[in-house]
Amino acid sequence: MGVSDWFRERLGLDDLPFFRTPDYMYNVNYWLGSLVAAAFIYTVISGLILLLYYNPEAGYSSTEFIIQKVPYGSVILYSHLYGAYAMIILAYVHMFRNYFAGAYKKPRELLWIIGVIMLVLTLGTAFLGYSLIGDALATSAVDVGEGIISSIPGLSIFIPILFGNYDAGDYGRVLAWHIIFVALIGLLFAFHFFLAEHYGMMPSKKVKDKAPAVYTKEEWQKFNPWWPRNFVYMMSLIFLTWGFILLIPNALAYLNGLPQQLNPFLNPKPAPPPNSPAAAHITTYPPWFFLFLYKIADFTSDVVIFLFIGVIIPLLYLILVPFIDRSPYLSLTKRRLFTAFGILMITYLIQTTIWGDLTPGVEIPIAQQVMVYLPPAIITLVGVFVMPAKTNNKAIANPLSILILLVTSILFGGALVTLIASPSLLTIIAFTLFTLVFILSIKNISPIALKIEKQEQTIITPEKPRNRELKKKIAEVLISILFIFAVILASQLWVIPATGYLSNLFGIDLGLIFIMLGEAISLYHYVVYRRD
Amino acid sequence: MIKFRLGKGEEREILDYSNLTFFRKLASKMRDPKTRFDVKEFVSKGEDYLFNYTNKNVGSVDEKRRKFLKSLIFGIAAAAVVGIIPGVRVLVPPTVTVTTGFPKSLLVDSSGNPIKASSLPVNSPYIIIFEYPMTGEPNFLINLGDSSGKPVEIQPTKVVVPQTGKTYDFPGGVGPNKSIVAYSAICQHLGCTPPYIHFYPPSYVNPRQLTASEPDQLTAAALLAAKEANVPALIHCDCHGSTYDPYHGGAVLTGPTVRPLPSVILEWDSSTDYLYAIGSVGVATYPNGSNGIPSQDPTDDLSSSFGSPVGDKTTVTETENPFSS
C-alpha cells in the first residue's frame, strides 16, 4: 500500500473531480471508452516509433524497409494498423452502446457531439494513414477520394492542400495531416474524458430511468474512490486491449493466401506498388472501414446525392440526435423510433460493408437496392413498434441480445429476398427456418422473456461467502500460473530474430504477455475489491 | 511475528504480525457503535454472518496476501518489460555503410531479373529510371536513336561546365550499338525530378509541344537550341525550362541551368548482355561550394547524408509516359 499511498498524496488524486464509481459499474459495458482510449494510446506510441523510420518521399519503399529491415518493424507496423482498426471498431461499439443507453441526452449532449466529431476525425486519420503505405490499394483509394472531392464544385482546392504531390510520390503532406488529425483527436479526447469524469459514467437504467441521468454529489460520496480501484480496473482493460492489438495481426501475418473477400479485413501486409506488373492482377478495394461508402458510391452517379446518403445525413442525424430526441426517457420502448434508427444504422453499416466487399465497384440498380434495404427497415420498424411496453421493466435489451436480433433479422431478410427471387423447396425450408429463429430472437428480447429472467434472478440466493472465498482462492492460483507463463514467454522473447519470417512471433508472444498481465490485474481486482 | 523462545534456539510461532493487525482492526470495528457486531444475528445465522461482517468491514484479504498478489502482478509487468528489451533495438538507427567508392550495381527489373541491353527500346517516351549511387537518387536510362528510330552511337566527348568554365570527359554510350546512356534525373538548376524533367524522343521535339500542358511542354528556346545543335532529341525540365543534350554528355543547351547533367558510367557485359552502373562523371549532383558552385568530384555525392548506397543491384522502373498524345 505504501507505493499507492505515495502516489495518492503526490498526485492529489482524492482531490481531483474524478467520478467515484458504484460497484455495479465495474463491468466492461461501462468502460468501452477506456478500450477506445487504450487503442488510441497504443496507436500513437507505435506511430511515433514508425515516424523514426518512415520517409514520406519514398512511401512504399520505406514501408517495405520498415517491414523487412527494421528490427521488429513488421510487428510495430502491423500492430499500428490493427490498433487503428481496433480503435474504429471499438469507437463504433462505444457509440452505439451509448446511443441505446440514451447517453446523448441532457446533460451529456456536448460529450456526445465531441464523440461524433472524434469518430469522423478517426476515420479521416485512418484514411490518411492507409494512404501512407503507397501500395496499389492506397493509391487507388486516394484516387477515389480525390475524385469524390473534385466532383463537388468548389471543393477541389482542398486536394492539393490535403494530398500535396501525392501523385508524384511525395507523401509529406499526407503524413503531416495524419499527425495533425491525431493531435486534434488527442485534444478532443482530453476534453471528452474530463467531461465524462465531470458528469460521471451513465448510471444504469434501473437506477435512473430519466434524463438527466446523473448521480448527485451526495450519492457520489458513498461510492468507491477513483484511486486506486478505477485505476486498477482500467489498467486491466488497457493491457487486454494492447494484448489483442499485438496478438491478432502478428498471428494473421502467418496466414497466407486469404480468400479475396477476407483480404480487406484480415490482411496486415501491404499490396504491391501501383507501378509494378503485379498491381494489374489485384482487385482494388478501399480499406474495410470505407467499404460501405465505396458501395454507396455505386448506387448513384451523382456525387452530391452519394455524399448526402453516405456521409451528411447519418452524420447530421448523429450530431443532432440529442436535440431531436427531447423526451427524458432512457428506456428503449419509450423512444421506439430512435431505437429503430439505431438498429437500422448498425444493420445498414454491416450490410453495406459486406456488400461492398463482395462486389467492389459493381453498379447496383435501384430495384436491387430496395430489395436489400427495405426488408430490414420493415422488420425493424414493425418489431420495435409491436414490442409491448412494460411499465415495471426498465431495461428491455442488452447489447448481446440486440446483436443476436440483428444477425437473425439480416438472415431473415436475406432468406425472404432469396425466396422471392428464386422460390423453390429449399428456399422455402430455409425461409421457414430463419423465420423461426428470428421470431425466437424477437421473443428473447421481448419484455415477457425478460420478466421471467428477472423472476429467476430473484430466486437465485446470494452467493455464500465461503463460495466466494473459494473463487478468490482459485483466482489467486490463476495469478500465480499466469506469472509463471509470463516469465517463460518473456524469456522466449529474447531468442526471436529481429527481422524476417519469425520476427512476428515477437508480437504474438508480447501480445500474450499483455493479455496475461491484463487478466492477472483483473483477477487481482476480483480478489481484492469484489464484495457483492 | 510474535514468538516464544523455548531455549536452545528453538522458537515457536504464535501470531503473525499481519494477523494481529487484522484482529485489532476487526475488534475495533466490532466495538464501533456505527458498525457494531450483532451478537444475536451471529447466533441465528452462524459463521456466515461473521464472514459477511468481516468481508464488509475489514476486508477479506489480509495485507500479506495482498502484497503477495501485488508482487505477482508486478512480476508479470516486469516480465513484459524484460521481454520488450530486445524490441528496443527498434530505436537504434539503421547503420549507414560508409562508402569509399562507387558501388558496382547490376541493373535489374522489378522482379529482380537483369535488364538486357539489346532489349532496351530506342527513344522510349516512357520515363525509365534507376537509383544510383544512393537510394532516392534517380537517373535516366536512355537508348538513344535518330529521328527514324535507329540506335545512334554516342561518341566520347568533352563537356563544358558553363558555371566554372572547366571541362570533363564523358565516356560515351555503351551496349551493342554504343547507344545507351544514363544521366542524373535531378535537374541541375533547382533539383526538379521526373516527371517534370524527362527525355523528349525525336517525335516530340516539334512545335506541337509548345502548347502542350505540363509535364510535356517544350519552350521555343529549347526547340531552337536543338535545331542549332543538330540533335533530334533532348532532355528538358518543365520547371524552368532548362534543356540538356543527351547526345553530348548531358551538356547544357539552354538555361537557366549553368551545369550539365552528371552522367552515370555504365558497363556493358557483351557475353551476358547485362548492364552495370559503376560510377559517375561530371559535377557533383549536389553543389557543395560557395554560391552553389559544384564540386568537381562526383564522389562527394557518396556522403551518407544523401542516403545509403543502392548496393550491388538497382531496380530499373518504367514510371510513366508523360506524353498525353
Side-chain angles (χ1 to χ4, degrees):
Chain A
M1 271 327 254
V3 181
S4 174
D5 282 337
W6 193 86
F7 272 108
R8 187 212 303 264
E9 277 173 34
R10 300 311 113 137
L11 301 174
L13 287 164
D14 286 339
D15 307 326
L16 281 181
F18 278 164
F19 180 60
R20 297 171 79 95
T21 318
D23 281 333
Y24 74 88
M25 281 192 187
Y26 292 100
N27 178 323
V28 188
N29 214 354
Y30 292 90
W31 288 75
L32 291 167
S34 79
L35 299 185
V36 187
F40 175 67
I41 292 165
Y42 183 89
T43 315
V44 168
I45 294 173
S46 54
L48 288 176
I49 297 173
L50 290 175
L51 199 55
L52 298 175
Y53 290 98
Y54 183 76
N55 170 15
E57 281 166 20
Y60 188 79
S61 59
S62 72
T63 306
E64 285 290 315
F65 174 75
I66 289 168
I67 292 174
Q68 275 145 20
K69 300 279 171 62
V70 175
Y72 306 113
S74 59
V75 174
I76 296 166
L77 188 67
Y78 296 167
S79 60
H80 182 71
L81 176 72
Y82 269 63
Y85 283 3
M87 190 175 159
I88 294 168
I89 295 169
L90 291 168
Y92 273 126
V93 174
H94 178 51
M95 181 183 83
F96 280 115
R97 186 265 167 192
N98 282 329
Y99 178 88
F100 288 117
Y104 53 79
K105 290 180 184 241
K106 196 184 161 191
R108 296 186 174 82
E109 297 100 325
L110 189 59
L111 189 60
W112 169 265
I113 291 169
I114 293 171
V116 175
I117 296 171
M118 282 162 81
L119 176 74
V120 175
L121 281 176
T122 303
L123 289 174
T125 315
F127 178 73
L128 291 167
Y130 179 89
S131 310
L132 286 173
I133 307 168
D135 61 0
L137 298 181
T139 43
S140 84
V142 169
D143 285 344
V144 172
E146 283 183 346
I148 291 170
I149 298 174
S150 62
S151 47
I152 306 158
L155 275 191
S156 45
I157 48 160
F158 286 109
I159 293 176
I161 294 175
L162 260 178
F163 293 106
N165 289 316
Y166 190 87
D167 295 331
D170 182 0
Y171 303 164
R173 274 287 165 127
V174 181
L175 178 65
W177 281 113
H178 183 64
I179 297 168
I180 291 168
F181 273 40
V182 174
L184 283 177
I185 295 174
L187 279 176
L188 287 178
F189 168 67
F191 199 21
H192 193 78
F193 175 76
F194 279 104
L195 275 181
E197 289 291 342
H198 176 69
Y199 299 125
M201 279 181 262
M202 176 92 179
S204 156
K205 267 175 265 187
K206 287 174 198 148
V207 185
K208 311 254 173 198
D209 61 346
K210 274 188 185 177
V214 280
Y215 283 113
T216 59
K217 291 273 169 190
E218 291 75 37
E219 285 171 301
W220 270 33
Q221 290 312 317
K222 291 183 217 139
F223 299 152
N224 305 293
W226 193 89
W227 178 268
R229 189 170 174 185
N230 276 24
F231 183 77
V232 169
Y233 194 73
M234 198 170 71
M235 287 322 276
S236 79
L237 293 176
I238 288 175
F239 282 119
L240 281 171
T241 313
W242 288 8
F244 284 109
I245 287 172
L246 270 162
L247 175 69
I248 295 171
N250 284 295
L252 284 174
Y254 289 107
L255 272 188
N256 274 323
L258 290 168
Q260 174 82 47
Q261 273 79 30
L262 294 178
N263 251 337
F265 303 100
L266 295 179
N267 194 358
K269 295 172 200 164
N275 52 6
S276 77
H281 301 291
I282 50 172
T283 323
T284 51
Y285 44 79
W288 64 263
F289 45 87
F290 278 142
L291 272 174
F292 78 98
L293 270 187
Y294 193 54
K295 190 74 246 168
I296 296 172
D298 296 332
F299 293 168
T300 163
S301 51
D302 191 325
V303 179
V304 177
I305 294 177
F306 150 69
L307 277 181
F308 263 95
I309 300 172
V311 184
I312 296 169
I313 292 176
L315 211 59
L316 272 182
Y317 172 72
L318 285 174
I319 287 180
L320 294 179
V321 76
F323 310 106
I324 305 172
D325 180 8
R326 302 201 61 95
S327 77
Y329 299 107
L330 299 177
S331 160
L332 288 173
T333 42
K334 292 204 172 131
R335 43 189 183 108
R336 291 164 193 264
L337 196 62
F338 297 97
T339 308
F341 282 163
I343 294 175
L344 270 182
M345 268 208 264
I346 302 178
T347 315
Y348 285 164
L349 188 63
I350 297 174
Q351 219 181 354
T352 320
T353 300
I354 295 173
W355 203 5
D357 182 35
L358 296 177
T359 59
V362 178
E363 278 184 34
I364 304 294
I366 297 215
Q368 213 174 332
Q369 295 168 29
V370 175
M371 279 264 267
V372 169
Y373 289 112
L374 201 57
I378 294 173
I379 294 166
T380 314
L381 286 170
V382 169
V384 164
F385 281 97
V386 163
M387 222 181 318
K390 290 293 289 182
T391 41
N392 60 347
N393 232 332
K394 275 142 195 163
I396 67 133
N398 59 42
L400 184 70
S401 57
I402 287 186
L403 187 72
I404 292 171
L405 178 70
L406 196 81
V407 173
T408 52
S409 54
I410 291 175
L411 288 174
F412 171 68
L416 181 67
V417 170
T418 323
L419 178 70
I420 295 166
S422 57
S424 73
L425 188 65
L426 194 71
T427 48
I428 292 171
I429 293 170
F431 175 70
T432 343
L433 212 68
F434 284 124
T435 314
L436 280 175
V437 178
F438 175 59
I439 292 169
L440 277 179
S441 70
I442 285 189
K443 259 193 144 173
N444 184 38
I445 70 159
S446 78
I448 305 153
L450 259 193
K451 207 176 161 194
I452 296 164
E453 196 184 313
K454 227 184 170 186
Q455 281 166 350
E456 274 171 6
Q457 269 173 359
T458 50
I459 296 164
I460 296 167
T461 44
E463 206 180 2
K464 275 191 182 154
R466 248 185 298 179
N467 266 353
R468 201 181 319 114
E469 277 305 295
L470 181 70
K471 276 192 188 167
K472 288 187 175 180
K473 276 262 149 48
I474 294 172
E476 284 173 33
V477 174
L478 282 177
I479 294 177
S480 315
I481 295 171
L482 287 175
F483 170 70
I484 294 164
F485 274 111
V487 171
I488 293 172
L489 273 183
S491 65
Q492 289 292 308
L493 280 178
W494 283 67
V495 293
I496 293 171
T499 51
Y501 183 72
L502 289 174
S503 66
N504 288 104
L505 283 177
F506 187 87
I508 296 179
D509 275 12
L510 191 62
L512 285 174
I513 295 179
F514 276 147
I515 290 172
M516 287 186 217
L517 181 57
E519 191 51 41
I521 297 176
S522 152
L523 288 170
Y524 175 82
H525 176 265
Y526 179 80
V527 172
V528 173
Y529 296 108
R530 277 300 276 271
R531 301 263 150 75
D532 42 24
Chain B
M1 198 177 285
I2 298 166
K3 295 163 186 168
F4 270 134
R5 190 159 295 159
L6 303 171
K8 283 189 186 174
E10 234 185 289
E11 280 179 346
R12 193 159 174 190
E13 183 186 318
I14 298 176
L15 194 59
D16 193 276
Y17 180 73
S18 60
N19 288 340
L20 180 66
T21 45
F22 179 79
F23 286 135
R24 284 188 57 180
K25 216 171 166 185
L26 182 59
S28 75
K29 287 280 174 192
M30 283 175 155
R31 276 196 303 266
D32 190 345
K34 270 192 211 158
T35 55
R36 184 170 291 281
F37 188 72
D38 193 338
V39 185
K40 278 180 197 158
E41 205 155 348
F42 179 50
V43 172
S44 65
K45 282 187 184 164
E47 65 179 6
D48 277 358
Y49 174 72
L50 178 65
F51 275 127
N52 257 336
Y53 179 85
T54 33
N55 261 344
K56 212 167 137 195
N57 292 301
V58 193
S60 60
V61 183
D62 59 74
E63 288 301 301
K64 211 176 160 188
R65 264 165 84 194
R66 218 181 251 219
K67 264 191 191 135
F68 174 65
L69 290 181
K70 250 188 216 170
S71 58
L72 282 182
I73 302 283
F74 281 112
I76 300 176
V81 171
V82 170
I84 289 171
I85 289 173
V88 175
R89 259 181 282 169
V90 91
L91 297 177
V92 180
T95 46
V96 179
T97 37
V98 181
T99 37
T100 47
F102 285 99
K104 181 175 180 175
S105 307
L106 175 65
L107 302 193
V108 295
D109 63 17
S110 57
S111 36
N113 303 318
I115 295 275
K116 299 253 185 194
S118 46
S119 65
L120 215 60
V122 181
N123 288 339
S124 168
Y126 278 88
I127 303 177
I128 303 174
I129 279 178
F130 65 94
E131 294 183 344
Y132 188 85
M134 312 297 249
T135 52
E137 291 185 355
N139 300 278
F140 296 119
L141 182 65
I142 308 169
N143 193 358
L144 283 170
D146 57 18
S147 42
S148 60
K150 271 212 278 209
V152 172
E153 183 178 334
I154 308 299
Q155 303 289 344
T157 176
K158 275 201 185 309
V159 183
V160 184
V161 184
Q163 189 176 21
T164 55
K166 292 181 180 161
T167 60
Y168 60 87
D169 289 312
F170 169 71
V174 297
N177 305 305
K178 299 202 168 185
S179 58
I180 300 172
V181 290
Y183 298 109
S184 168
I186 302 171
C187 181
Q188 282 294 297
H189 172 227
L190 282 177
C192 282
T193 51
Y196 300 106
I197 179 171
H198 66 93
F199 174 66
Y200 286 68
S203 54
Y204 292 98
V205 182
N206 59 44
R208 260 185 304 140
Q209 298 306 125
L210 291 173
T211 51
S213 61
E214 278 185 26
D216 61 340
Q217 204 178 44
L218 272 181
T219 58
L223 277 177
L224 185 66
K227 208 173 176 189
E228 280 177 354
N230 197 22
V231 287
L234 39 80
I235 293 172
H236 179 80
C237 178
D238 247 14
C239 289
H240 309 94
S242 300
T243 316
Y244 304 89
D245 180 352
Y247 296 86
H248 299 96
V252 176
L253 281 178
T254 69
T257 181
V258 286
R259 293 187 294 276
L261 281 180
S263 5
V264 175
I265 308 173
L266 296 174
E267 189 181 277
W268 175 58
D269 185 338
S270 57
S271 59
T272 55
D273 202 21
Y274 294 170
L275 286 167
Y276 298 87
I278 56 171
S280 295
V281 287
V283 294
T285 308
Y286 309 99
N288 53 8
S290 59
N291 302 326
I293 293 171
S295 163
Q296 286 289 97
D297 180 10
T299 53
D300 283 348
D301 285 338
L302 297 175
S303 154
S304 62
S305 59
F306 302 125
S308 52
V310 288
D312 57 1
K313 274 180 192 169
T314 179
T315 311
V316 178
T317 49
E318 221 178 64
T319 51
E320 61 182 297
N321 181 352
F323 300 101
S324 40
S325 55

